Amino acid sequence: MGFQRIAEVCEKGGDGVRDSPVFFFAKNRRDGEFSLITADLIKQVDKLFINGEWVEAASDKKIEVINPANRKVIAKVAAGNQEDAERAIAAARKAFDEGPWKEYHPSERAQILFDIARIVQHNKEELAQLETLDNGKTLRESRGDMDGVIRTFRYYAGLCGKPYGETFEADYPLSAKVVREPIGVCALIIPWNYPLLMAAWKLAPALAAGNTCILKPSEVTPLSALRFFELIQEIDIPAGVMNLVIGTGMDAAQPLTESKQVDKVAFTGGTETGKKIMMNSLSNLKKVSLELGGKSPNIIFADADFETAMDYAVFGIFNNTGQVCSAGSRLLVEKSVYDRAVEDIISRVKQIRVGDGSIETTQMGPVTGEKQYEKVLDYINIGRSEGARIAFGGNPLLVEGSEDGYFIEPTVFVDVLNDMRIAQEEIFGPVLCVIPFENEREAVQLANATPYGLAGAVFTSDSAKAERMARKIKAGTVWLNTYEENLIEGPWGGYKQSGTGRELGVYGYEAYTEIKQIINNLDVQPTNWFNS
Ligand code: NDP
């Protein structure tokens, strides 16, 4: 059912919000346009996808999925458990070891990825609206995510068969070459802040390299993955190559990380969960890539283009309601422009239209779930008690028409000391910490004084200073005069406790391969080692 069809259904549905047994849809309150869709599009909402078919979960327990804009239950999904995880592992194992998948030519795998991109493109609006319904992010953000999903599948379709091995000089008569092979069964565990985009960042390179996969979305936001798996059923993908298990981290994901039948775990999420996953993966020393949290410094020098720097300072923390691993949550501002910057930021933050993400004019949606809502409010109180000053926000926000939503005012703490907890720990919400600095040396010292190292940015009109800073910041990505530009073509990942390994680009593809050296003897005759 495409978007047009959904609109027709909505037309018949009449005005306002209308509940159905498990889903609901609504007419946009501001401009009267229908913009929410029904999640009951998903026929298999309470099933898992294992070995090429939709199956019942082992237990009949269900997990309620909540729309964070109004706390309504929008779906009840299967609560997969260890038994389900083991079924998925067995299917993926068999598909890798015995199935036709590994005989597929790179061009055939590429065609599958191109087909997935085409299907997402065709259903982009529907998937975007579903993502907004489930995660709370604005429609603009969800549409941007879907564009990212499409580009990721296209990029890795194009990459299939392109990365090549090497040969190297060896003493005659030896000839040596290096080839890359798929690792095997990959468990892909993803978070709730970019549900389908994070799935794409893992599925696309894993499949391009010839692996089989088990995707475990966050229990908080499983709907776009469920719908995605339904939509791609029209493609002829061998059974067991792509499996979907829904359930809590403890019940459904941990068994994947502990299993000796799984060869690789790729995870995006919190640092503490990442550490646990690394420990649990020791059973068979599986390959682990972790994309974890951050406390990224966004550094504004006095000589920066002020308008641009302020614009990105606000975008860098409040886009996606601050629930971004690379959010510019620590804004370091050179003292000579500090007061002016704080004043300017407050004037911008006041204008942010917070509300239900499904309303086209909303600029910042709710926080994604109750746990995160409580966590962000707790941190705001911690900041207060640490002596940081709230220059704007700092409270839950009552949004007219969405009174029950998990809304929090965009919050700006000023005069923050870098060793305060609010400047050291990942809040993962719409909370900015502004910290003054005296000079370049102090900016570097503050930027690096954190356990994290995912990203950072520098705003200056001095290109030599920009590059000096970029070299000194300990982070996997440094933006110069921009923020949050994520290139599918480039490596993404962190230094220090922001993770291990790199996603995206050729680096992301290589992370799903084993390296094999093949040494060939060009002069085949005995060595006579034991005859001399
Ligand atoms: P988690 O890191 O715990 O969750 C991410 C994924 O891991 C989910 O699919 C989750 O499942 C799963 N998971 C949870 N426990 C385990 C486990 N023992 N073994 C394997 N997988 C597991 O995120 P939270 O929702 O708990 O958020 C906590 C904090 O993490 C946030 O406040 C934020 O600071 C950070 N975070 C960072 C993200 C990033 O992009 N770097 C993304 C999300 C969170 P399930 O949700 O079903 O329990």
Side-chain angles (χ1 to χ4, degrees), residues 189-193 216-220 247-250 253-254 257 267-271 273-274 276-277 280 291-294 324-325 371-372 375 426-428:
I189 302 172
I190 54 165
W192 43 263
N193 57 337
K216 208 302 279 179
S218 167
E219 76 192 64
V220 181
T248 65
M250 277 310 288
Q254 191 153 317
T257 64
F267 170 77
T268 298
T271 295
T273 307
K276 214 190 254 181
I277 285 175
N280 292 335
E291 204 270 86
L292 308 175
V324 185
C325 49
K371 189 171 136 200
Q372 199 57 25
K375 179 179 166 182
E426 188 176 46
I427 299 175
F428 219 64

Side-chain angles (χ1 to χ4, degrees), residues 243-489:
N243 303 279
L244 176 67
V245 175
I246 310 286
T248 65
M250 277 310 288
D251 291 343
Q254 191 153 317
L256 300 174
T257 64
E258 288 170 336
S259 168
K260 290 187 179 162
Q261 297 299 314
V262 172
D263 303 301
K264 162 152 183 145
V265 175
F267 170 77
T268 298
T271 295
E272 288 317 307
T273 307
K275 287 179 184 174
K276 214 190 254 181
I277 285 175
M278 198 164 225
M279 295 289 288
N280 292 335
S281 299
L282 291 177
S283 60
N284 61 334
L285 282 181
K286 51 179 74 65
K287 310 285 176 276
V288 178
S289 36
L290 303 173
E291 204 270 86
L292 308 175
K295 200 72 197 178
S296 299
N298 185 2
I299 305 167
I300 315 280
F301 282 98
D303 62 4
D305 181 302
F306 191 74
E307 268 296 302
T308 307
M310 295 299 102
D311 178 76
Y312 277 105
V314 173
F315 172 72
I317 180 65
F318 297 114
N319 86 87
N320 217 45
T321 318
Q323 301 171 125
V324 185
C325 49
S326 50
S329 49
R330 288 186 302 144
L331 189 72
L332 310 184
V333 184
E334 191 163 1
K335 270 193 182 142
S336 57
V337 288
Y338 181 82
D339 290 340
R340 184 178 163 215
V342 168
E343 197 180 316
D344 190 277
I345 284 165
I346 292 166
S347 71
R348 287 168 195 265
V349 174
K350 273 183 188 161
Q351 310 292 323
I352 296 176
R353 292 189 295 273
V354 183
D356 182 335
S358 67
I359 295 171
E360 292 282 359
T361 47
T362 296
Q363 294 175 323
M364 192 179 101
V367 167
T368 294
E370 179 146 17
K371 189 171 136 200
Q372 199 57 25
Y373 179 72
E374 298 298 341
K375 179 179 166 182
V376 174
L377 292 176
D378 275 356
Y379 267 112
I380 292 173
N381 284 332
I382 289 167
R384 279 194 183 99
S385 64
E386 286 180 307
R389 185 165 65 82
I390 293 183
F392 188 80
N395 300 297
L397 184 67
L398 204 63
V399 171
E400 203 191 323
S402 293
E403 286 77 5
D404 292 331
Y406 296 117
F407 298 102
I408 296 177
E409 289 175 329
T411 297
V412 181
F413 275 109
V414 294
D415 305 340
V416 176
L417 301 176
N418 196 57
D419 57 4
M420 289 178 177
R421 282 184 64 193
I422 53 166
Q424 287 295 309
E425 298 173 17
E426 188 176 46
I427 299 175
F428 219 64
V431 180
L432 179 66
C433 294
V434 192
I435 304 172
F437 69 85
E438 200 79 60
N439 52 33
E440 206 176 313
R441 193 185 48 76
E442 193 187 8
V444 172
Q445 184 268 320
L446 289 169
N448 290 333
T450 158
Y452 296 109
L454 187 57
V458 181
F459 285 80
T460 172
S461 50
D462 177 341
S463 67
K465 178 158 68 180
E467 183 138 354
R468 272 199 307 277
M469 291 293 296
R471 302 276 178 129
K472 287 178 185 162
I473 293 171
K474 294 186 181 126
T477 296
V478 179
W479 292 290
L480 301 178
N481 293 312
T482 184
Y483 207 94
E484 215 64 88
E485 291 291 353
N486 285 315
L487 305 181
I488 289 162
E489 299 78 4

Side-chain angles (χ1 to χ4, degrees), residues 111-129:
Q111 188 55 55
I112 287 176
L113 297 187
F114 275 128
D115 285 345
I116 294 176
R118 175 182 51 75
I119 289 170
V120 175
Q121 173 85 64
H122 187 72
N123 296 280
K124 176 182 155 182
E125 186 60 27
E126 175 195 314
L127 285 164
Q129 298 215 15

Side-chain angles (χ1 to χ4, degrees), residues 172-175 520-527:
Y172 183 82
L174 300 179
S175 135
N520 193 4
N521 183 358
L522 304 181
D523 184 13
V524 183
Q525 54 176 305
T527 62

